[in-house]
Amino acid sequence: MPDEEEDLYAVLQVSPTAERDVIDAAYKRLAAKTHPDRCHEPGASEKLRRLNAAHEVLNDVDRRAEYDRRRDAAVRKAREKERPAPPAAAPVSGF
């Protein structure tokens, strides 16, 4: 998952371990709430587009597995960046 890519689980407000029926229910709830015909807030169409894209990936077993692999790799990479470098070894003298 590239750094700029949005977390699809966060878009649908579900846990990464959520079952398919939980993902579907969250999608339906959020889509009904943010559909431009019901929600007249600016950006409603964009929110619905993001919901649709997230649901499309997370509802497909193969695409979800690939997404999870990329997401896990990105999380590990981010953690490595946060980890401080080990201290440099002290010079050995007396030789």
Side-chain angles (χ1 to χ4, degrees), residues 2-87:
D3 294 337
E4 308 84 36
E5 189 173 330
E6 189 168 25
D7 185 346
L8 301 182
Y9 294 105
V11 171
L12 290 176
Q13 300 175 6
V14 296
S15 165
T17 60
E19 297 290 329
R20 190 179 216 167
D21 59 333
V22 173
I23 291 170
D24 286 339
Y27 167 74
K28 289 175 185 175
R29 176 181 51 83
L30 293 168
K33 184 175 155 183
T34 60
H35 193 282
D37 290 345
R38 293 179 129 189
C39 179
H40 301 291
E41 294 177 18
S45 294
E46 176 59 23
K47 287 179 186 177
L48 186 60
R49 185 196 65 74
R50 290 175 29 231
L51 287 170
N52 287 332
H55 183 255
E56 192 175 300
V57 171
L58 298 181
N59 204 37
D60 180 282
V61 175
D62 296 329
R63 291 177 71 188
R64 182 177 180 178
E66 174 60 27
Y67 172 76
D68 286 343
R69 282 190 290 276
R70 292 182 312 165
R71 181 177 178 271
D72 292 344
V75 167
R76 280 192 305 274
K77 187 176 180 179
R79 285 184 183 152
E80 288 174 5
K81 285 183 181 179
E82 292 173 359
R83 200 175 309 149

